[in-house]
Amino acid sequence: MTDTFTPRALLVTGGAGFIGSNFIHSFMAGNPGCRVVNLDVLTYAGNLKNLAGVEKDPSYRFVRGDICDASLVASILAEENIDAVVHFAAESHVDRSITGPEIFVRTNVLGTQVLLEESRKHRDARGGEPFRYLQVSTDEVYGSLGPTGFFTEETPLAANSPYSASKAGGDLLVRAYHETYGFPALTTRCSNNYGPFHFPEKLIPLMIHNILARRPLPVYGDGLNVRDWLHVQDHARAVETVLKKGKPGEVYNIGGHNEWKNIDIVNLVCDLLDQRLGRGAGESRSLITFVKDRPGHDRRYAIDAGKIKRELGWEPAYTFEQGIAETIDWYLANQEWVAEVTSGAYRDYYDRQYGERGEA
Ligand code: NAD
Ligand code: DAU
């Protein structure tokens, strides 16, 4: 473990999204006095309501802007005297990357390169002052596992979707900036997150949303694909740990040792909601509809998170039982948030997707 790095002025990109907003909440609670600048262009996935409670804090600033805008990034880095960057901003949904890959390459590859380049120049201008850059990446860059085994940090990159390929492209640029320029960059690769503020295009919040509305629950293929679920607050804590204690140039896998087949997750969410809504046993399960598989659908993800535990002392705090129950209760208590984010642009997308499949 290297000496602990204490950021004084942090640039967070994509802080109005699911994980970025959860990170800002927990980071600001634990690091009072650290300046936090949130750069987010507010795509369909970005929502400033996720940040209610922090926006009036004098150490917080929101800038609406694009990570591909080099002069904007440069001016924020200089005027705020930024000493750390945590890069969440991305196009994050695999299904969208299949129907429209271009924006994924622009944001996830070009955007990362712009951020790296401006950060590198800014760090050089600061002389020997401490500086760190953290790339928030995904286990999807490793491709797909068979029935056994785990992704380690040494697993070769083998991305299978335009989303994961664009994330792998960003990761390789991060590696190149470290190797070529000695730029102090760290990379985290996390498994599937769940928790509050998760946009209802992703499996768990989509199922909650559709169960409440008694709409079909689309399960891709045979429903036996496996994901390794981690509570978003555990991920946020892991990112903070790597930022402060990780070794520049290193990659750290983050995961929950919590593998679930998709159909089992959907059944569980159905049953937990039936209990809460006073519906009969099995009522929501009857909404499950097996649909055409996602093209290139990775069969199984499972993370070996031994390195981050051994070297930095991080491990998940949430049990899945607690986390999923709290998440469902959060969605029930925040239906206004759900209604807002599922209107407008997202609604069009949603109707187009499911209209095409004839299920809406
Ligand atoms: P999200 O889609 O909920 O949020 C992405 C945010 O980035 C949004 O607020 C959006 O407005 C912003 N953004 C998009 N393009 C931008 C641009 N050009 N300039 C500035 N802001 C822009 O995503 P998420 O699920 O919170 O994921 C955050 C990061 O974590 C991503 O890099 C993703 O690859 C990674 N990740 C996600 C998961 C997961 O399970 N969701 C797991 C591992 C890693
Ligand atoms: O593993 C980390 C990744 O997890 C992140 O990098 C991505 O940003 C994040 O979106 C997530 O990707 P997935 O593709 O695994 O998540 P998603 O919620 O889209 O799907 C989870 C599983 O559920 C996957 O096997 C596909 C399946 N699925 C998904 C949806 C939306 C369904 O069966 N039906 C659905 O309607």
Side-chain angles (χ1 to χ4, degrees), residues 7-250:
R8 292 173 200 287
L10 176 66
L11 174 61
V12 176
T13 70
F18 165 46
I19 306 175
S21 59
N22 273 283
F23 173 82
I24 289 179
H25 281 291
S26 66
F27 184 87
M28 288 187 66
N31 297 270
C34 179
R35 179 87 168 140
V36 174
V37 181
N38 174 13
L39 173 63
D40 196 304
V41 79
L42 300 181
T43 66
Y44 77 95
N47 185 349
L48 289 179
K49 295 236 167 104
N50 299 2
L51 293 153
V54 301
E55 78 277 56
K56 291 201 171 65
D57 188 318
S59 56
Y60 172 79
R61 175 184 167 199
F62 173 69
V63 180
R64 184 171 191 181
D66 190 338
I67 54 166
C68 298
D69 182 344
S71 60
L72 174 66
V73 172
S75 70
I76 296 169
L77 290 166
E79 103 205 355
E80 297 283 356
N81 198 15
I82 296 293
D83 62 3
V85 175
V86 177
H87 178 32
F88 291 99
E91 288 295 331
S92 69
H93 192 38
V94 173
D95 292 334
R96 287 178 187 255
S97 82
I98 294 167
T99 50
E102 194 179 337
I103 185 72
F104 284 73
V105 175
R106 182 185 183 275
T107 302
N108 300 355
V109 183
L110 180 62
T112 297
Q113 190 273 328
V114 168
L115 204 57
L116 283 166
E117 181 62 12
E118 295 314 314
S119 299
R120 178 183 77 81
K121 290 194 288 201
H122 168 70
R123 181 214 176 216
D124 288 352
R126 281 164 51 87
E129 290 294 305
F131 188 88
R132 281 185 170 208
Y133 173 104
L134 190 148
Q135 176 80 0
V136 179
S137 189
T138 168
D139 60 358
E140 297 202 9
V141 298
Y142 297 124
S144 186
L145 288 166
T148 58
F150 298 92
F151 295 132
T152 72
E153 289 80 359
E154 275 71 49
T155 303
L157 303 193
N160 291 318
S161 72
Y163 162 70
S164 52
S166 68
K167 290 295 291 185
D171 287 14
L172 289 174
L173 284 164
V174 172
R175 177 188 160 93
Y177 268 69
H178 178 262
E179 296 301 312
T180 306
Y181 306 111
F183 182 67
L186 304 118
T187 300
T188 56
R189 295 192 180 131
C190 190
S191 61
N192 287 62
N193 286 212
Y194 70 96
F197 304 120
H198 204 183
F199 196 88
E201 65 186 350
K202 310 281 167 59
L203 181 70
I204 290 179
L206 177 69
M207 294 302 144
I208 297 173
H209 185 58
N210 284 12
I211 290 167
L212 290 175
R214 294 183 195 270
R215 294 184 69 155
L217 309 178
V219 174
Y220 299 164
D222 60 9
L224 300 179
N225 299 63
V226 172
R227 297 293 182 265
D228 175 358
W229 293 94
L230 180 74
H231 194 278
V232 64
Q233 278 301 331
D234 279 328
H235 185 192
R237 214 168 29 80
V239 166
E240 183 175 340
T241 303
V242 172
L243 179 69
K244 291 178 169 174
K245 299 184 185 168
K247 187 166 167 239
E250 294 288 310

